[in-house]
Amino acid sequence: MSASGWDVLVAAMTTLAGVVIPLELVIGLQMPAGFVVFEWVLTVLFAADLVVRLRQARQSRHGARRRSHAYTWAVMDGIAAFPFFLFPLPPVTHLFRFFKFGRLMQEMRTYWMHNIHQSLVVRLVLFSYWLVLATHWSSCVWLMIRGIDPRTDIETSYIGSLYFCISTLSTVGFGDITPSTNAERLFVIGMMLLGVGVYGFAIGNVASMLTRIDPARAHYIENMEKLDAFMRYKAVPEDLRKRMTDFYRHLWDKRLGYDEAAILMSLPPSLRTELSLFLKRDVIQRVPLFKDAGEAFVRDIALQMSPVVFLPGDFVFRAGEPGNTMYFVSRGELEVLSKDGKTVLALLRDGDFFGEIALVLNQPRSASVRARSYCDLYVLDRSLLQRVLANYPDVASRIEELARERSLRG
């Protein structure tokens, strides 16, 4: 059985114990094969789980603190697995099985953290699970305090207790069942306080879930509201305001409003390198200057390339300007213009690159480049390129040679 399958089995048996043991203590429920058989099954299963956990703790690659934490949980697992039913002890000792719920809560929290992309669904399921279990336990306690009505059967008494606890927890309280002793009144007070807490927790979580169903959209709306407030405060002209709004709308359409550079910088170096290679490898490998340059060179270049966005009509650069950067087209369409800006010399689309000749040969721009649509580009600065090429002299000489050839052909 896989580790996940084993965890599900232990969780299911722990839940079954949480349902059956209170019923057995309060109303003397006997399972078909006998309660002792059920206790033996729990003992064997919990003991086996204890062995599995200890083995995992010994084989863990985490530090001594994590292993010590695992051994602390093992003590609780050991208590839950101990066969108290074999000794002449009060029946309440069966509740020591509930120590296993500590481990179950830890496993649920781990599952929630590892499935953050489904956190809303997982959170709702876990909340429902604990609410149902707590309602069952409350019903058993109320039944123990009030006693079983001799005029009805056990099933009817339990259903009546469940009905009372649910109506109290939900703060409805129809008043058809009322406490008559001090113990019952104290229990009802506790149930009411618990119900208020559950009600507030549920409302707060539902509101949180609704706002987090689409976190990217919430992030985008928040940024747009801040931008709008800033532009109104600074009295930004309408045409400039529209261009700024269109820019953020483009980020939303193509990147869900997130800044690629900011996300990369938030990662550790190893993950930053992997993500940079994933995002930029295809673009880099299309460039003849970098062809067959080697994996190490591609990795270093990918780390130095920065994303940049140009709006329709924006000039990436103009003829005669210093050639300090080269560009790689990730998405969009641009036009190469003559020096006078009247003639379209070429069109650039996804996968194309430009500006490398002026960059490598340290020459002014020989033409202008203007965006025809929203363009997502990657930019590479000369200083950063030279820093990388300093470690690859063979690649540097070949790139300069190719750039000169293209300059002569152009």
Side-chain angles (χ1 to χ4, degrees), residues 264-282:
L264 285 171
M265 291 305 299
S266 67
L267 297 174
S270 59
L271 291 179
R272 188 186 311 154
T273 300
E274 290 186 30
L275 183 56
S276 295
L277 281 174
F278 171 77
L279 294 174
K280 307 166 187 174
R281 179 188 296 276
D282 291 343

Side-chain angles (χ1 to χ4, degrees), residues 175-191:
D176 50 346
I177 300 177
T178 57
S180 57
T181 65
N182 289 336
E184 292 178 359
R185 294 188 183 97
L186 290 174
F187 175 77
V188 171
I189 290 174
M191 288 289 292

Side-chain angles (χ1 to χ4, degrees), residues 66-94:
R66 292 286 297 272
R67 286 195 294 270
S68 176
H69 184 68
Y71 292 142
T72 301
W73 278 107
V75 173
M76 300 181 66
D77 290 338
I79 295 175
F82 191 81
F84 289 98
F85 66 96
L86 295 178
F87 302 92
L89 297 172
V92 72
T93 55
H94 295 312

